[in-house]
Amino acid sequence: MNKRLFVLLVILMSLSLIGLIFVQSFWIKKSVEDKEEQFSNIVSEALNSVTLKIEERERKNYFDRYLRAKDSVGDLKGTQFTNFFFINRDVNSNEILLYEHGILEEDYGISSTFFDNGDGGDTTVIKNYTSKRTTSVFKEDYDLDGKSYRLDPIQRIEKIGGLSAMEKAAMEDVFGTYAKRVPIHKRVSKQEIELLVQRELENRGVDIDFEYGVYSNGLPTKVKSRKFKYSETNVYKAHMFTDIEGNSTFDLLVSFPKKKRFLVQSILGLALLSLLFTLIIVVAYSGAIYQLIRQKQISEIKTDFINNMTHEFKTPIATINLAVEAIKNPKIIGDKEKVSRYLQMIRDENKRMHAQVENVLRISKLEKNQLDISKDRVDAHDIIKDAITHVELIVADKGGYINTHLEAERSEVLANEMHLTNVVVNMLDNAIKYSPKAPKIDVFTEKAKNFIIIKVRDQGAGMSKAVLKRVFEKFYREHTGDIHNVKGHGLGLAYVKKIVDDHQGEVYAESEKGKGSTFYIKLPLI
C-alpha cells in the first residue's frame, strides 16, 4: 500500500471515529440536560399543585368552621335587604331590559370566638348573606288604534344563591389576613407536605427520595424534614399561602439528594447501548488499523525477505557458474586437484542454498504444526557443547572466543536433541553475526527452582528497545545502512522461539545498543 494513501486512510478513519465519539458524548450530555429540564418542570408543577391544595384545604377549613358557627345560632335578630337595579331601553327593537341584584343580610346577633384570637374578647359577629339576581326583558306593544299600550314579558332569568366570586374573594382575603397571624406549624403539618409531595411526584412518574423545608422570608421554620439542607442551586421552590395581591412570606423548598443518580438512570439504558455500539466501532477501528499496519509491515518484511533471499542465492549461484566455467576450461579440466577444488566449491554452495531452503520450509511447517518433534531425556550441557562445536571454527577464524560457565546442578530436560541443538546454534550464530569485531561470547547455565536457564551473552553491536521488541518476529531484521552487511533472512530467532515454545519454555533477550546482547532460554527440568 502506498505510504501516503495509508496515512490518509488512517487520518480519515481517526477523524471519523473522533467525530462519532464527540457526537455520542454530545448526545449523552444533551439527553441529561433535557432530562434535568423535564425533571425541573415536573417538580415545579408538583410543588405548585401541593401549595394550591394546602391553601384550598386551609380555606375550606375556615369556611366549614364559619358554616358550623352559623348553623349553631338561634333566632334571627334582624335583616336588611339592599336592592340594585338598572333599566335599558332599545328604541330599535322596542325592548326594555330590567336587571335587579338584591343582597339580603341576616344578623343573628351573636359573637363568636371563630378566629380564636386568644385575647378573651368576643368581637366577631356572624352574619349570613344571600344574593338574588333577576334579569327581565319586556317588549312594548300598541294596539291597532295606536293608543292602548302594554308591556309584554318575553324573558325572565332569576338566580338566588350565595356570594358572588368577588364577595367570596373578599371573605377569603379576610380569612387570609387573619391566617397570617397563625404560626406556620399550625397551618400545615409535616405529614401533609410529605404525603402531598410524594403523591404529586408519583402521579407524574417521578419516584425519588426528597427532603423539604418551609422558609419564611428566607429563614427556616419548624416545618422541615430531618435531613433537609438549604442550597441555592439544588432546591426547588414554590410560594405558599399567597394573598389576594399575589404576595407571600412563605416558601416550600424541596431538594433531591439522589437527583443526579435518578437522571443518569433515566437515560442509562440508551447511554449504555450507545456506548456499547461506540465501543464496538472503536474495537473494529482498532482492528482495522492494526491490520493495515500489520499488512504494511508484512509487505515491508516480504520485500526485505525477497531481497535477502535473492542476495543469499545470488552469491552461491554466481560461485557455481564460475566454478562450472572454470572446469570447462581445457587448461583446468586436466588438473584433477583444481577440478576437485571447484567441485567442492559447487557442492558447498549447493549445500548452502539447500540449507536456506530448508530453513524456510522448516519454519513454515513449524507454524502449521506439521513438524514432527519427538522428545527424549537429554542433557542440556551436552546440547550446548555440541552446538559450540558447529561454530567454534568460525569464531576462531575471526579471532574470537566462546567461554562456557555451565554451573547448573541439574541439566536434564525433555527435548528434541536436533531441534534444541539448532536453537543453541542459531543463538550462537546470531551472536557471531552481530559482533563487528572478534566475537566474544559467554554461555552460562543456572538452576532456578525447577527450571534451567541458558544464557548466551555477546559483546557485539546490541539492539535498541524498538528492535528488542520485535527480534523474535518472523522475517524481521534490523535495518542498517547496508541491508546485506549481515547474512540472513530473519528466520533464525523466529525458529528459536517456536521450538522453545513447543518445549513449554521461554525465550527472551536483554540488550543495550553498542554494548552487546544476552539471550535467555528457560526450560523445565525433569
Side-chain angles (χ1 to χ4, degrees):
M1 180 184 293
N2 183 274
K3 186 175 181 180
R4 290 184 178 179
L5 180 61
F6 173 77
V7 172
L8 180 62
L9 184 60
V10 171
I11 291 174
L12 289 176
M13 292 179 67
S14 301
L15 290 176
S16 300
L17 182 61
I18 292 171
L20 177 63
I21 294 174
F22 174 78
V23 170
Q24 293 289 348
S25 302
F26 176 80
W27 178 83
I28 292 174
K29 180 176 179 292
K30 187 66 176 175
S31 297
V32 173
E33 291 175 354
D34 291 343
K35 284 291 183 180
E36 187 167 7
E37 183 178 357
Q38 182 181 0
F39 179 81
S40 299
N41 293 335
I42 290 174
V43 171
S44 298
E45 291 177 3
L47 294 185
N48 288 332
S49 179
V50 168
T51 55
L52 286 175
K53 288 183 177 180
I54 292 174
E55 292 170 4
E56 289 174 2
R57 187 267 309 155
E58 185 181 52
R59 283 195 295 268
K60 185 177 182 299
N61 287 347
Y62 278 119
F63 274 111
D64 289 344
R65 290 168 65 187
Y66 167 77
L67 294 174
R68 285 196 301 270
K70 187 193 75 168
D71 292 341
S72 67
V73 300
D75 297 331
L76 182 65
K77 183 177 181 181
T79 63
Q80 182 179 349
F81 181 76
T82 304
N83 190 36
F84 303 91
F85 68 91
F86 73 86
I87 300 174
N88 182 49
R89 181 177 181 179
D90 189 344
V91 297
N92 294 321
S93 61
N94 293 328
E95 291 182 355
I96 297 174
L97 171 65
L98 173 62
Y99 176 77
E100 296 178 274
H101 188 178
I103 299 177
L104 176 63
E105 177 183 338
E106 299 173 314
D107 185 356
Y108 289 88
I110 68 165
S111 59
S112 169
T113 56
F114 173 70
F115 286 116
D116 300 327
N117 46 31
D119 58 5
D122 296 332
T123 59
T124 302
V125 177
I126 295 178
K127 294 184 179 182
N128 183 51
Y129 296 86
T130 304
S131 173
K132 179 181 179 181
R133 294 178 290 277
T134 305
T135 302
S136 302
V137 180
F138 300 91
K139 186 174 182 62
E140 295 180 303
D141 284 328
Y142 292 87
D143 289 338
L144 295 176
D145 59 4
K147 295 180 180 180
S148 300
Y149 172 80
R150 65 178 181 273
L151 292 175
D152 295 328
I154 61 174
Q155 184 179 18
R156 181 180 176 85
I157 301 174
E158 185 174 87
K159 183 176 181 182
I160 300 175
L163 301 175
S164 66
M166 185 175 295
E167 292 160 346
K168 189 175 180 181
M171 287 196 70
E172 289 177 358
D173 184 47
V174 172
F175 294 149
T177 301
Y178 168 76
K180 291 180 180 179
R181 301 173 59 191
V182 179
I184 186 65
H185 63 275
K186 293 185 178 180
R187 300 179 69 181
V188 62
S189 66
K190 296 180 181 180
Q191 293 79 7
E192 182 180 13
I193 292 177
E194 289 176 4
L195 181 62
L196 287 175
V197 172
Q198 184 175 359
R199 183 182 299 166
E200 292 297 327
L201 289 175
E202 288 179 352
N203 289 342
R204 290 165 174 79
V206 176
D207 184 12
I208 183 175
D209 295 336
F210 62 88
E211 302 293 334
Y212 66 90
V214 176
Y215 275 57
S216 174
N217 294 321
L219 299 175
T221 67
K222 294 181 179 180
V223 184
K224 63 178 181 178
S225 59
R226 186 168 56 87
K227 296 182 180 179
F228 178 78
K229 293 182 180 179
Y230 178 78
S231 172
E232 293 185 359
T233 57
N234 294 324
V235 296
Y236 296 89
K237 181 193 302 184
H239 296 308
M240 292 182 68
F241 303 119
T242 305
D243 60 23
I244 196 169
E245 297 176 353
N247 299 320
S248 174
T249 58
F250 293 101
D251 294 313
L252 174 60
L253 277 59
V254 177
S255 65
F256 300 91
K258 299 179 181 179
K259 185 181 78 170
K260 288 186 177 180
R261 183 187 301 176
F262 176 81
L263 293 175
V264 171
Q265 286 178 346
S266 65
I267 64 163
L268 188 61
L270 288 175
L272 288 177
L273 197 61
S274 174
L275 290 174
L276 176 62
F277 288 143
T278 302
L279 181 62
I280 291 173
I281 293 173
V282 169
V283 171
Y285 166 81
S286 302
I289 293 297
Y290 173 79
Q291 290 300 326
L292 286 173
I293 294 174
R294 185 64 180 165
Q295 286 182 7
K296 186 173 181 294
Q297 291 175 342
I298 291 173
S299 178
E300 292 175 352
I301 290 171
K302 177 183 174 182
T303 301
D304 290 344
F305 174 70
I306 292 173
N307 291 335
N308 291 334
M309 288 297 293
T310 302
H311 183 80
E312 293 289 336
F313 286 151
K314 186 176 180 180
T315 302
I317 291 173
T319 302
I320 291 172
N321 285 336
L322 289 174
V324 170
E325 290 297 325
I327 292 174
K328 289 170 61 178
N329 191 328
K331 295 180 180 179
I332 300 298
I333 198 168
D335 190 339
K336 293 183 179 181
E337 183 179 346
K338 288 185 177 182
V339 169
S340 176
R341 184 159 60 89
Y342 286 139
L343 288 175
Q344 185 62 39
M345 289 174 59
I346 294 172
R347 188 180 298 109
D348 291 342
E349 294 302 319
N350 184 64
K351 185 178 179 180
R352 179 180 168 187
M353 287 192 296
H354 180 74
Q356 298 289 356
V357 173
E358 281 297 317
N359 278 335
V360 175
L361 293 176
R362 187 167 53 190
I363 197 73
S364 176
K365 287 183 178 181
L366 189 60
E367 284 193 336
K368 295 178 181 179
N369 296 320
Q370 295 177 350
L371 201 62
D372 183 23
I373 302 179
S374 57
K375 299 180 181 69
D376 300 304
R377 181 188 292 266
V378 296
D379 191 316
H381 288 169
D382 293 339
I383 296 290
I384 292 170
K385 293 173 184 176
D386 185 34
I388 290 174
T389 60
H390 286 75
V391 298
E392 60 183 357
L393 291 178
I394 300 174
V395 173
D397 184 60
K398 292 187 174 185
Y401 65 81
I402 299 178
N403 292 333
T404 57
H405 312 273
L406 310 180
E407 298 176 355
E409 300 89 349
R410 292 170 52 197
S411 57
E412 287 190 337
V413 296
L414 188 64
N416 182 280
E417 184 176 357
M418 181 193 72
H419 286 293
L420 189 57
T421 302
N422 287 339
V423 164
V424 179
V425 169
N426 270 290
M427 295 181 70
L428 294 172
D429 184 58
N430 195 70
I432 295 168
K433 287 192 295 184
Y434 288 96
S435 295
K437 299 178 181 178
K440 299 176 181 179
I441 304 170
D442 290 275
V443 181
F444 303 83
T445 63
E446 61 183 53
K447 180 179 174 293
K449 293 185 179 179
N450 201 38
F451 294 89
I452 183 172
I453 298 177
I454 302 171
K455 294 192 291 186
V456 178
R457 179 185 298 165
D458 64 65
Q459 301 178 30
M463 296 175 285
S464 64
K465 290 183 179 179
V467 175
L468 195 61
K469 290 179 180 179
R470 302 184 57 191
V471 72
F472 293 104
E473 293 181 15
K474 186 174 65 171
F475 302 130
Y476 178 77
R477 296 182 68 216
E478 182 178 8
H479 292 281
T480 58
D482 178 6
I483 197 170
H484 301 303
N485 60 343
V486 177
K487 303 292 184 181
H489 35 68
L491 291 175
L493 291 178
Y495 168 76
V496 167
K497 181 168 176 56
K498 287 290 184 182
I499 294 297
V500 173
D501 288 346
D502 187 76
H503 284 71
Q504 288 76 50
E506 297 178 34
V507 59
Y508 50 94
E510 295 176 352
S511 185
E512 187 175 350
K513 195 73 173 177
K515 294 186 178 181
S517 305
T518 302
F519 284 83
Y520 298 81
I521 298 175
K522 184 178 179 181
L523 296 172
L525 292 166
I526 56 173

